Coordinates of all heavy atoms in Angstrom, one line a residue:
S8 N 97.1 67.3 79.8 CA 98.2 67.1 80.7 C 97.8 67.6 82.1 O 96.9 68.4 82.3 CB 99.4 67.9 80.2 OG 99.3 69.2 80.4
Q9 N 98.6 67.2 83.1 CA 98.3 67.5 84.5 C 98.3 69.0 84.7 O 97.5 69.6 85.4 CB 99.2 66.8 85.4 CG 98.9 67.0 86.9 CD 99.7 66.2 87.8 OE1 100.6 65.4 87.3 NE2 99.6 66.3 89.0
G10 N 99.2 69.8 84.1 CA 99.3 71.2 84.2 C 98.1 71.9 83.8 O 97.7 73.0 84.4
D11 N 97.3 71.4 82.8 CA 96.1 72.1 82.4 C 95.0 72.0 83.4 O 94.1 72.9 83.4 CB 95.6 71.4 81.1 CG 96.6 71.6 79.9 OD1 97.4 72.5 80.0 OD2 96.5 70.8 79.0
E12 N 95.1 71.1 84.4 CA 94.1 71.0 85.4 C 94.1 72.2 86.3 O 93.1 72.6 87.0 CB 94.2 69.7 86.2 CG 94.0 68.5 85.4 CD 94.3 67.2 86.2 OE1 94.5 67.3 87.4 OE2 94.4 66.2 85.5
M13 N 95.2 72.9 86.4 CA 95.4 74.1 87.2 C 95.0 75.4 86.5 O 94.9 76.4 87.1 CB 96.9 74.2 87.7 CG 97.4 73.0 88.4 SD 96.4 72.7 89.9 CE 96.8 74.2 90.9
M14 N 94.7 75.3 85.2 CA 94.3 76.5 84.5 C 92.8 76.8 84.8 O 92.0 76.0 84.8 CB 94.3 76.2 83.0 CG 95.7 75.9 82.5 SD 96.8 77.3 82.4 CE 96.1 78.1 80.9
P15 N 92.6 78.1 85.2 CA 91.2 78.5 85.4 C 90.4 78.5 84.1 O 91.0 78.8 83.1 CB 91.3 79.9 86.0 CG 92.6 80.4 85.5 CD 93.5 79.2 85.3
P16 N 89.1 78.2 84.2 CA 88.3 78.3 83.0 C 88.2 79.8 82.6 O 88.2 80.7 83.4 CB 87.0 77.7 83.4 CG 86.9 77.9 84.8 CD 88.3 77.8 85.3
P17 N 88.1 80.0 81.3 CA 87.9 81.4 80.9 C 86.7 82.1 81.6 O 86.7 83.3 81.8 CB 87.6 81.3 79.4 CG 88.3 80.1 79.0 CD 88.2 79.1 80.1
S18 N 85.7 81.3 82.0 CA 84.5 81.9 82.7 C 84.9 82.5 84.1 O 84.2 83.3 84.6 CB 83.4 80.9 82.9 OG 83.9 79.8 83.7
A19 N 86.1 82.2 84.6 CA 86.6 82.7 85.8 C 87.1 84.1 85.7 O 87.3 84.8 86.7 CB 87.6 81.8 86.5
R20 N 87.4 84.5 84.5 CA 88.1 85.8 84.3 C 87.4 87.0 84.9 O 88.0 87.8 85.6 CB 88.4 86.0 82.8 CG 89.4 87.2 82.6 CD 89.7 87.4 81.1 NE 88.6 87.3 80.2 CZ 87.7 88.2 80.0 NH1 87.8 89.3 80.7 NH2 86.7 88.1 79.2
P21 N 86.1 87.1 84.7 CA 85.4 88.3 85.3 C 85.5 88.3 86.8 O 85.7 89.4 87.4 CB 83.9 88.2 84.8 CG 84.0 87.3 83.6 CD 85.2 86.4 83.8
Y22 N 85.4 87.1 87.4 CA 85.5 87.0 88.9 C 86.9 87.4 89.3 O 87.1 88.2 90.3 CB 85.2 85.6 89.3 CG 85.5 85.3 90.7 CD1 84.7 85.8 91.7 CD2 86.6 84.5 91.1 CE1 85.0 85.5 93.1 CE2 86.9 84.2 92.4 CZ 86.0 84.7 93.4 OH 86.3 84.5 94.7
L23 N 87.9 87.0 88.6 CA 89.3 87.3 88.9 C 89.6 88.8 88.7 O 90.3 89.5 89.5 CB 90.3 86.5 88.0 CG 90.3 85.0 88.3 CD1 91.0 84.2 87.2 CD2 91.0 84.7 89.7
S24 N 88.9 89.4 87.7 CA 89.1 90.8 87.5 C 88.4 91.6 88.6 O 89.0 92.7 89.1 CB 88.4 91.2 86.1 OG 89.2 90.7 85.1
L25 N 87.3 91.1 89.1 CA 86.7 91.8 90.3 C 87.6 91.7 91.5 O 87.8 92.7 92.2 CB 85.3 91.1 90.6 CG 84.6 91.6 91.8 CD1 84.3 93.1 91.6 CD2 83.3 90.8 92.0
L26 N 88.2 90.5 91.8 CA 89.1 90.4 92.9 C 90.3 91.4 92.7 O 90.7 92.0 93.7 CB 89.7 89.0 93.0 CG 88.7 87.9 93.4 CD1 89.4 86.5 93.4 CD2 88.3 88.2 94.9
L27 N 90.8 91.5 91.5 CA 91.9 92.5 91.3 C 91.5 93.9 91.4 O 92.3 94.8 91.8 CB 92.5 92.2 89.9 CG 93.3 90.9 89.9 CD1 93.7 90.5 88.5 CD2 94.6 91.0 90.8
A28 N 90.2 94.2 91.1 CA 89.7 95.6 91.4 C 89.7 95.9 92.9 O 90.0 97.0 93.3 CB 88.3 95.7 90.8
I29 N 89.5 94.9 93.7 CA 89.5 95.1 95.1 C 90.9 95.1 95.7 O 91.2 95.9 96.5 CB 88.7 93.9 95.8 CG1 87.2 94.0 95.4 CG2 88.8 94.0 97.3 CD1 86.4 92.8 95.7
D30 N 91.7 94.2 95.1 CA 93.1 94.1 95.6 C 94.1 93.9 94.4 O 94.4 92.8 94.0 CB 93.3 92.9 96.6 CG 94.7 92.8 97.1 OD1 95.5 93.7 96.9 OD2 94.9 91.8 97.9
P31 N 94.5 95.1 93.8 CA 95.3 95.0 92.6 C 96.6 94.3 92.8 O 97.2 93.8 91.8 CB 95.6 96.5 92.2 CG 94.6 97.2 93.0 CD 94.2 96.4 94.2
D32 N 97.1 94.2 94.0 CA 98.4 93.5 94.3 C 98.3 92.0 94.5 O 99.3 91.4 94.9 CB 99.1 94.2 95.4 CG 99.5 95.6 95.1 OD1 99.8 95.9 94.0 OD2 99.4 96.5 96.1
D33 N 97.1 91.4 94.4 CA 96.9 90.0 94.6 C 97.5 89.2 93.5 O 96.9 89.0 92.4 CB 95.4 89.7 94.7 CG 95.1 88.2 95.0 OD1 96.1 87.4 95.0 OD2 93.9 87.9 95.2
S34 N 98.8 88.8 93.7 CA 99.5 88.1 92.6 C 98.9 86.8 92.2 O 99.0 86.4 91.0 CB 101.0 87.9 93.1 OG 101.6 89.1 93.3
S35 N 98.3 86.1 93.2 CA 97.7 84.8 92.8 C 96.5 85.0 91.9 O 96.4 84.3 90.9 CB 97.3 84.1 94.1 OG 96.6 82.9 93.8
S36 N 95.7 85.9 92.2 CA 94.5 86.2 91.3 C 95.0 86.7 89.9 O 94.5 86.4 88.9 CB 93.6 87.2 91.9 OG 92.9 86.6 93.0
R37 N 96.1 87.6 90.0 CA 96.6 88.1 88.7 C 97.2 87.0 87.8 O 97.0 87.0 86.6 CB 97.6 89.2 89.0 CG 98.0 90.0 87.8 CD 98.8 91.3 88.1 NE 98.0 92.2 88.9 CZ 97.2 93.1 88.3 NH1 97.0 93.2 87.0 NH2 96.5 94.0 89.1
F38 N 97.9 86.1 88.5 CA 98.5 85.0 87.7 C 97.4 84.1 87.1 O 97.4 83.7 86.0 CB 99.4 84.1 88.6 CG 100.0 83.0 87.8 CD1 101.1 83.3 87.0 CD2 99.5 81.7 87.8 CE1 101.7 82.2 86.3 CE2 100.1 80.7 87.1 CZ 101.2 81.0 86.3
S39 N 96.3 83.8 87.9 CA 95.2 83.0 87.4 C 94.5 83.7 86.3 O 94.1 83.1 85.3 CB 94.2 82.8 88.6 OG 94.8 81.9 89.6
R40 N 94.4 85.1 86.4 CA 93.7 85.8 85.3 C 94.6 85.8 84.0 O 94.1 85.6 82.9 CB 93.4 87.2 85.7 CG 92.5 87.9 84.6 CD 92.1 89.3 85.0 NE 93.2 90.2 85.0 CZ 93.1 91.6 85.1 NH1 91.9 92.1 85.4 NH2 94.2 92.3 85.1
A41 N 95.9 85.8 84.2 CA 96.8 85.7 83.1 C 96.6 84.4 82.4 O 96.6 84.3 81.1 CB 98.2 85.9 83.5
A42 N 96.5 83.3 83.2 CA 96.3 82.0 82.6 C 94.9 81.9 81.9 O 94.8 81.3 80.8 CB 96.3 80.9 83.7
A43 N 93.9 82.5 82.4 CA 92.6 82.5 81.8 C 92.6 83.3 80.5 O 92.1 82.9 79.4 CB 91.5 83.2 82.7
F44 N 93.3 84.5 80.5 CA 93.5 85.2 79.2 C 94.2 84.4 78.2 O 93.8 84.3 77.0 CB 94.3 86.5 79.5 CG 93.5 87.7 80.0 CD1 94.0 88.4 81.1 CD2 92.4 88.1 79.4 CE1 93.3 89.6 81.5 CE2 91.7 89.2 79.8 CZ 92.1 89.9 80.9
S45 N 95.3 83.7 78.6 CA 96.0 82.9 77.7 C 95.2 81.8 77.1 O 95.3 81.5 75.9 CB 97.3 82.3 78.4 OG 98.0 81.5 77.6
A46 N 94.4 81.1 78.0 CA 93.5 80.1 77.5 C 92.5 80.6 76.5 O 92.1 79.8 75.6 CB 92.7 79.5 78.7
E47 N 92.1 81.9 76.6 CA 91.2 82.5 75.6 C 92.0 82.9 74.3 O 91.3 83.4 73.4 CB 90.5 83.7 76.2 CG 89.6 83.4 77.3 CD 89.0 84.6 78.0 OE1 89.6 85.7 77.8 OE2 88.0 84.5 78.7
G48 N 93.3 82.8 74.3 CA 94.1 83.3 73.2 C 94.4 84.8 73.3 O 95.0 85.3 72.3
D49 N 94.1 85.4 74.4 CA 94.4 86.9 74.6 C 95.8 87.0 75.2 O 95.9 87.3 76.4 CB 93.3 87.5 75.4 CG 93.5 89.0 75.5 OD1 94.5 89.5 75.1 OD2 92.5 89.7 76.0
H50 N 96.8 86.7 74.4 CA 98.1 86.7 74.9 C 98.6 88.1 75.4 O 99.4 88.2 76.3 CB 99.1 86.1 73.9 CG 98.7 84.7 73.6 ND1 98.6 83.7 74.5 CD2 98.4 84.2 72.4 CE1 98.2 82.6 73.8 NE2 98.0 82.8 72.6
A51 N 98.2 89.2 74.7 CA 98.6 90.5 75.1 C 98.1 90.8 76.5 O 98.9 91.4 77.4 CB 98.0 91.5 74.1
S52 N 96.9 90.5 76.9 CA 96.4 90.7 78.2 C 97.1 89.8 79.2 O 97.3 90.3 80.4 CB 94.8 90.5 78.3 OG 94.2 91.5 77.5
A53 N 97.3 88.6 78.8 CA 98.1 87.7 79.7 C 99.4 88.3 80.1 O 99.9 88.3 81.2 CB 98.2 86.3 79.1
R54 N 100.1 88.8 79.0 CA 101.4 89.4 79.2 C 101.4 90.6 80.1 O 102.2 90.8 81.0 CB 102.0 89.8 77.9 CG 102.7 88.6 77.2 CD 103.2 88.9 75.8 NE 104.1 90.1 75.7 CZ 105.4 90.0 75.8 NH1 106.0 88.8 75.9 NH2 106.2 91.0 75.7
E55 N 100.3 91.4 80.0 CA 100.2 92.6 80.9 C 100.1 92.1 82.4 O 100.7 92.8 83.2 CB 98.9 93.4 80.5 CG 99.0 94.2 79.3 CD 97.7 94.9 79.0 OE1 97.0 95.3 80.0 OE2 97.4 95.1 77.8
D56 N 99.3 91.1 82.6 CA 99.2 90.6 84.0 C 100.6 90.0 84.5 O 101.0 90.3 85.6 CB 98.1 89.6 84.2 CG 96.7 90.2 84.4 OD1 96.7 91.4 84.7 OD2 95.7 89.5 84.2
L57 N 101.2 89.3 83.6 CA 102.5 88.7 84.0 C 103.5 89.8 84.2 O 104.3 89.8 85.2 CB 103.0 87.7 83.0 CG 102.2 86.4 82.8 CD1 102.8 85.6 81.7 CD2 102.1 85.7 84.1
K58 N 103.5 90.9 83.4 CA 104.4 92.0 83.5 C 104.2 92.7 84.9 O 105.2 93.1 85.6 CB 104.3 93.0 82.4 CG 105.1 94.2 82.5 CD 106.4 94.0 81.7 CE 107.1 95.4 81.5 NZ 108.1 95.6 82.6
F59 N 103.0 92.8 85.3 CA 102.7 93.5 86.6 C 103.3 92.7 87.7 O 103.9 93.2 88.6 CB 101.2 93.6 86.8 CG 100.8 94.3 88.1 CD1 100.6 95.6 88.1 CD2 100.7 93.6 89.3 CE1 100.3 96.3 89.3 CE2 100.4 94.2 90.5 CZ 100.2 95.6 90.5
I60 N 103.2 91.3 87.6 CA 103.8 90.5 88.7 C 105.3 90.6 88.6 O 106.0 90.7 89.7 CB 103.4 89.0 88.5 CG1 101.8 88.9 88.7 CG2 104.1 88.1 89.6 CD1 101.3 87.5 88.3
L61 N 105.9 90.6 87.4 CA 107.4 90.7 87.3 C 107.9 92.0 87.8 O 108.9 92.1 88.4 CB 107.8 90.5 85.9 CG 107.6 89.1 85.3 CD1 107.8 89.1 83.8 CD2 108.6 88.1 86.0
D62 N 107.1 93.1 87.6 CA 107.5 94.4 88.1 C 107.2 94.6 89.6 O 107.8 95.5 90.2 CB 106.7 95.5 87.3 CG 107.2 95.6 85.9 OD1 108.3 95.1 85.6 OD2 106.5 96.3 85.1
N63 N 106.4 93.8 90.2 CA 106.0 93.9 91.6 C 105.9 92.5 92.2 O 104.9 92.1 92.7 CB 104.6 94.5 91.7 CG 104.5 95.8 91.0 OD1 104.9 96.9 91.5 ND2 103.9 95.8 89.8
P64 N 107.1 91.8 92.2 CA 107.0 90.4 92.7 C 106.7 90.3 94.2 O 107.2 91.2 95.0 CB 108.4 89.9 92.4 CG 109.3 91.1 92.3 CD 108.4 92.2 91.8
P65 N 105.8 89.4 94.6 CA 105.6 89.2 96.0 C 106.8 88.7 96.7 O 107.6 88.0 96.1 CB 104.4 88.2 96.0 CG 104.5 87.5 94.7 CD 105.1 88.4 93.7
P66 N 106.9 89.0 98.0 CA 108.1 88.6 98.8 C 108.2 87.0 98.8 O 109.4 86.5 98.9 CB 107.9 89.1 100.2 CG 106.8 90.2 100.0 CD 106.1 89.9 98.8
S67 N 107.1 86.3 98.6 CA 107.2 84.9 98.7 C 107.7 84.2 97.4 O 108.0 83.0 97.4 CB 105.8 84.3 98.9 OG 104.9 84.7 97.9
M68 N 107.9 85.0 96.3 CA 108.3 84.5 95.0 C 109.8 84.4 95.0 O 110.5 85.3 95.3 CB 107.8 85.4 93.9 CG 108.1 84.8 92.5 SD 107.3 85.7 91.2 CE 105.7 85.0 91.3
D69 N 110.3 83.1 94.8 CA 111.8 82.9 94.7 C 112.3 83.1 93.3 O 111.6 83.4 92.4 CB 112.1 81.6 95.3 CG 111.6 80.4 94.5 OD1 111.4 80.5 93.3 OD2 111.4 79.3 95.1
E70 N 113.6 83.0 93.2 CA 114.3 83.3 91.9 C 113.9 82.3 90.8 O 113.7 82.7 89.7 CB 115.8 83.2 92.1 CG 116.4 84.3 92.9 CD 116.2 85.7 92.2 OE1 116.4 85.8 91.0 OE2 115.9 86.6 92.9
E71 N 113.6 81.1 91.2 CA 113.2 80.1 90.2 C 111.8 80.4 89.7 O 111.5 80.3 88.5 CB 113.2 78.7 90.8 CG 112.7 77.6 89.9 CD 113.5 77.4 88.6 OE1 114.7 77.9 88.5 OE2 113.0 76.8 87.6
Q72 N 110.9 80.8 90.6 CA 109.6 81.2 90.1 C 109.6 82.4 89.2 O 108.9 82.5 88.2 CB 108.7 81.5 91.4 CG 108.4 80.2 92.1 CD 107.7 80.5 93.5 OE1 108.1 81.4 94.2 NE2 106.7 79.7 93.8
L73 N 110.5 83.4 89.6 CA 110.6 84.6 88.7 C 111.2 84.2 87.4 O 110.7 84.7 86.3 CB 111.6 85.6 89.4 CG 110.9 86.5 90.4 CD1 112.0 87.3 91.2 CD2 109.9 87.4 89.8
R74 N 112.1 83.3 87.3 CA 112.7 82.8 86.0 C 111.6 82.2 85.2 O 111.5 82.5 84.0 CB 113.8 81.9 86.3 CG 114.6 81.5 85.0 CD 115.6 80.4 85.3 NE 115.0 79.1 85.7 CZ 114.3 78.3 84.9 NH1 114.1 78.6 83.6 NH2 113.8 77.2 85.4
Q75 N 110.8 81.3 85.8 CA 109.7 80.7 85.1 C 108.7 81.7 84.6 O 108.1 81.5 83.5 CB 109.0 79.6 86.0 CG 109.9 78.4 86.3 CD 109.3 77.5 87.2 OE1 108.2 77.7 87.8 NE2 109.9 76.3 87.4
L76 N 108.4 82.7 85.4 CA 107.4 83.7 85.0 C 108.0 84.5 83.8 O 107.2 84.8 82.8 CB 107.2 84.6 86.2 CG 105.8 85.3 86.2 CD1 104.7 84.3 86.2 CD2 105.8 86.2 87.5
H77 N 109.3 84.8 83.8 CA 109.9 85.5 82.7 C 109.8 84.6 81.4 O 109.5 85.1 80.3 CB 111.4 85.8 82.9 CG 111.6 87.1 83.6 ND1 111.5 88.3 82.9 CD2 112.0 87.4 84.9 CE1 111.8 89.3 83.8 NE2 112.1 88.8 85.0
E78 N 110.0 83.3 81.5 CA 109.9 82.4 80.4 C 108.5 82.4 79.8 O 108.3 82.4 78.6 CB 110.3 81.0 80.8 CG 111.8 80.8 81.0 CD 112.2 79.4 81.4 OE1 111.3 78.5 81.5 OE2 113.4 79.2 81.7
M79 N 107.5 82.4 80.7 CA 106.1 82.4 80.3 C 105.8 83.7 79.5 O 105.2 83.7 78.5 CB 105.1 82.3 81.5 CG 104.8 80.9 81.8 SD 103.5 81.0 83.1 CE 104.4 80.6 84.5
Y80 N 106.3 84.8 80.1 CA 106.1 86.1 79.5 C 106.7 86.2 78.1 O 106.1 86.6 77.1 CB 106.7 87.2 80.4 CG 106.6 88.6 79.9 CD1 105.4 89.3 80.1 CD2 107.6 89.2 79.2 CE1 105.3 90.6 79.6 CE2 107.5 90.5 78.8 CZ 106.3 91.2 79.0 OH 106.2 92.5 78.5
D81 N 107.9 85.7 78.0 CA 108.6 85.7 76.7 C 107.9 84.7 75.7 O 107.7 85.1 74.5 CB 110.1 85.2 76.8 CG 110.9 86.3 77.5 OD1 110.5 87.4 77.6 OD2 112.0 85.9 78.0
R82 N 107.4 83.6 76.1 CA 106.8 82.6 75.3 C 105.5 83.2 74.8 O 105.1 83.0 73.6 CB 106.5 81.3 76.1 CG 106.0 80.2 75.2 CD 106.0 78.8 75.9 NE 105.3 78.9 77.2 CZ 106.0 78.7 78.4 NH1 107.2 78.5 78.5 NH2 105.3 78.8 79.5
L83 N 104.7 83.9 75.6 CA 103.4 84.5 75.2 C 103.7 85.6 74.1 O 102.9 85.8 73.3 CB 102.7 85.0 76.4 CG 102.0 84.0 77.2 CD1 101.5 84.7 78.5 CD2 100.9 83.3 76.5
G84 N 104.8 86.2 74.2 CA 105.2 87.3 73.3 C 105.5 86.7 71.9 O 105.4 87.5 70.9
R85 N 105.8 85.5 71.8 CA 106.1 84.8 70.5 C 104.8 84.2 69.9 O 104.9 83.7 68.8 CB 107.2 83.8 70.7 CG 108.5 84.3 71.1 CD 109.6 83.3 71.0 NE 109.4 82.2 71.9 CZ 109.9 82.1 73.2 NH1 110.6 83.1 73.6 NH2 109.8 81.1 73.9
Q86 N 103.7 84.2 70.6 CA 102.5 83.6 70.1 C 101.6 84.6 69.4 O 101.7 85.7 69.5 CB 101.8 82.9 71.2 CG 102.5 81.7 71.8 CD 101.8 81.0 72.8 OE1 100.6 81.3 73.2 NE2 102.4 80.0 73.4

């Protein structure tokens, strides 16, 4: 599906982790790493990254985006 084209490959995860070591508040990299973890089947780690974003939402994130993030977080918890 078209949405899958936006998923980072699992091989991107170490690079994203390095970016987050430099800037832990980089929500974009954190979301991408959550997607990479999820693609690998590591739903617990994906949820940790999503939880961080939910607890520290960037000012640019609107209510709809927060709602979608909560849905993803909940869905990963059921897998």
Side-chain angles (χ1 to χ4, degrees):
S8 72
Q9 186 173 355
D11 293 339
E12 294 172 14
M13 300 302 292
M14 297 285 285
S18 60
R20 191 177 45 75
Y22 172 73
L23 293 164
S24 293
L25 178 61
L26 288 176
L27 287 167
I29 296 166
D30 182 4
D32 295 327
D33 180 355
S34 296
S35 178
S36 292
R37 192 167 293 277
F38 182 81
S39 293
R40 188 175 73 172
F44 276 133
S45 181
E47 293 174 343
D49 186 350
H50 301 301
S52 294
R54 280 174 55 93
E55 284 180 34
D56 276 345
L57 293 179
K58 176 94 170 90
F59 182 91
I60 298 169
L61 289 168
D62 289 345
N63 307 280
S67 60
M68 187 170 277
D69 64 29
E70 290 298 318
E71 177 62 17
Q72 290 170 317
L73 276 172
R74 188 187 62 72
Q75 291 175 352
L76 209 58
H77 271 288
E78 287 179 4
M79 270 188 257
Y80 180 83
D81 291 341
R82 189 169 52 246
L83 285 171
R85 293 190 298 268
Q86 293 183 2

